[in-house]
Amino acid sequence: MSIPLPETSMPPEEKNNVTSPPEIAAEGPPSPPRQRFKWLKFGLRLGCALVLLTFLFKSISWSIVLQKLQHLDDGEVVIGLIVGLIGVILSSYQWQSLLDGEGIHIDLRRLINLYLIGISFNHFLPTGMGGDVIKAYCVGKEGHNAAGSVSAVVMSRVTGFAGMLIISIPILIIYHQAFAPWIVGTFLLASLGICGGLVVVFFAVALLPTLIKGKWTSYRIVSSMFNIGMTLQKSLRQPRALCSAIVYGVLFHISAALNYYAFAMILHIQVPLPFYMVIIPFVSLAVVLPTTINGYGVRESAFIAIFASLHVDMSTAAALVLLMDAQGIFFALIGGAIYLFTHNRKGNTAQKTHLCRLTAD
């Protein structure tokens, strides 16, 4: 549930005509020390992920995991993938409703393709341009409104978080006795922390320009806080788009619960459907901190720990997590294929145009 926001410290007259990705446009070529720091951070996150996965996979029985995965029914797996794809479509609808509020009108099919491309960037390019950045860049370029595109991406995270709370908090209250105390406490504290952070950022926008000046405004965290706060204030003036996005956020989290539930039924995991509406948001909150690459290691450990508290065998829970990771990689491969196909097609079109001009000359 992180809210990544690229810096957009461009002059106002240039914001609607961006010709390079937002991060590049805002920061320019990274300096050597900054580049080294980025690779150091990547190495630490990679090492943390490997350590977590090593300890986790040593504690499970791989023979049981492989046995369960070998006896999967192909038809049931396809149904699970279809449910997962429905979640992608719902997220794209949510994104489209926010873009409409910004006056950017993009075809839903194009947004679905960009959403899958974003998944691909998140999986395969963890040190470079993230999925949110590439989505904001592409839509901003096509819609000629970079600021509105970034705002829509940010608000898709915020409204998704709101939709998650609408679904998970009532379920947690009703079934709180079924969950371990550490799950309930951690979930509530993390949710309150993010809500408090958003409130602070929202009200700090009015004070930041007067309190922070000069070189302080060039720091990434300061500019990000300011941009997120401005985005929140602007979005509150568009209640229709905001409410529509929250509704789609609720539907997305329901579809995510159904997605996990469908694969869990294949593995004969007897955990009620409402429980997934707490488990999945809990894991989403657990991977907010960028401690590992794309949440690998943290996500798997959190899932298996929660299922263990619900008396589910660790190896069976690991099989479920591996299925969901495989689904994510499958969608990422589709997104990568779409990106390569689109990139090659644009390159061929540009080459043909250049040849036509040469012929005409």
Side-chain angles (χ1 to χ4, degrees):
M1 299 303 302
S2 58
I3 309 176
L5 179 64
E7 294 181 44
T8 52
S9 54
M10 297 173 289
E13 65 272 13
E14 295 180 8
K15 284 188 177 181
N16 292 335
N17 295 289
V18 181
T19 57
S20 59
E23 285 187 341
I24 299 173
E27 300 178 358
S31 60
R34 190 168 188 175
Q35 189 71 15
R36 287 195 295 269
F37 175 75
K38 181 180 290 187
W39 280 106
L40 176 62
K41 185 170 66 173
F42 167 71
L44 291 174
R45 293 173 65 184
L46 177 61
C48 186
L50 292 175
V51 169
L52 286 173
L53 290 173
T54 300
F55 278 104
L56 178 65
F57 290 151
K58 278 187 176 181
S59 62
I60 64 176
S61 173
W62 279 101
S63 60
I64 296 177
V65 173
L66 294 175
Q67 182 181 7
K68 289 184 175 293
L69 293 178
Q70 287 174 353
H71 293 84
L72 294 177
D73 183 87
D74 294 341
E76 292 176 339
V77 172
V78 171
I79 293 174
L81 289 173
I82 292 173
V83 177
L85 185 59
I86 290 173
V88 172
I89 296 171
L90 288 172
S91 287
S92 300
Y93 267 116
Q94 178 195 41
W95 187 18
Q96 187 181 55
S97 66
L98 291 166
L99 288 172
D100 288 341
E102 297 288 344
I104 304 174
H105 305 290
I106 305 292
D107 182 68
L108 179 64
R109 183 177 62 179
R110 174 60 176 160
L111 292 180
I112 293 173
N113 288 344
L114 288 175
Y115 194 94
L116 292 171
I117 290 173
I119 294 175
S120 180
F121 271 68
N122 281 334
H123 275 77
F124 302 131
L125 294 176
T127 60
M129 192 181 303
D132 284 345
V133 177
I134 192 66
K135 291 191 296 183
Y137 165 62
C138 291
V139 170
K141 189 175 181 180
E142 294 177 17
H144 307 288
N145 185 353
S149 176
V150 172
S151 175
V153 169
V154 172
M155 289 311 299
S156 67
R157 293 285 186 169
V158 176
T159 54
F161 175 69
M164 181 198 78
L165 293 183
I166 291 172
I167 286 293
S168 58
I169 295 298
I171 298 296
L172 188 64
I173 293 173
I174 295 171
Y175 295 101
H176 68 277
Q177 293 182 344
F179 293 99
W182 66 270
I183 296 176
V184 177
T186 305
F187 184 88
L188 293 177
L189 286 175
S191 299
L192 287 174
I194 293 178
C195 289
L198 290 174
V199 171
V200 169
V201 168
F202 178 79
F203 287 106
V205 168
L207 301 175
L208 280 176
T210 57
L211 295 178
I212 301 177
K213 297 179 180 180
K215 66 177 183 178
W216 290 99
T217 58
S218 63
Y219 285 101
R220 184 184 184 93
I221 186 171
V222 174
S223 62
S224 295
M225 285 179 60
F226 182 77
N227 288 331
I228 292 172
M230 290 293 293
T231 299
L232 290 171
Q233 286 189 349
K234 182 180 178 182
S235 298
L236 289 177
R237 304 189 195 108
Q238 301 170 343
R240 183 175 179 179
L242 201 62
C243 292
S244 177
I246 291 175
V247 169
Y248 281 120
V250 170
L251 294 175
F252 167 77
H253 284 286
I254 293 175
S255 71
L258 287 170
N259 191 196
Y260 275 86
Y261 185 71
F263 283 118
M265 288 295 96
I266 299 174
L267 296 170
H268 307 290
I269 297 177
Q270 302 301 320
V271 173
L273 174 61
F275 284 30
Y276 292 92
M277 298 180 188
V278 175
I279 296 172
I280 298 168
F282 180 93
V283 176
S284 298
L285 293 174
V287 299
V288 166
L289 295 176
T291 53
T292 64
I293 298 175
N294 203 30
Y296 284 117
V298 175
R299 178 172 52 249
E300 289 78 7
S301 299
F303 263 118
I304 292 176
I306 294 172
F307 277 114
S309 70
L310 297 172
H311 310 292
V312 176
D313 178 67
M314 290 184 63
S315 299
T316 305
L320 174 60
V321 174
L322 291 175
L323 271 177
M324 296 307 302
D325 285 345
Q327 175 184 271
I329 294 174
F330 176 70
F331 287 156
L333 290 173
I334 294 176
I338 293 172
Y339 176 77
L340 292 175
F341 175 76
T342 305
H343 182 75
N344 290 335
R345 187 173 61 181
K346 287 182 178 179
N348 291 335
T349 302
Q351 186 178 14
K352 288 179 181 179
T353 303
H354 181 64
L355 290 174
C356 290
R357 288 178 180 174
L358 290 176
T359 304
D361 293 339

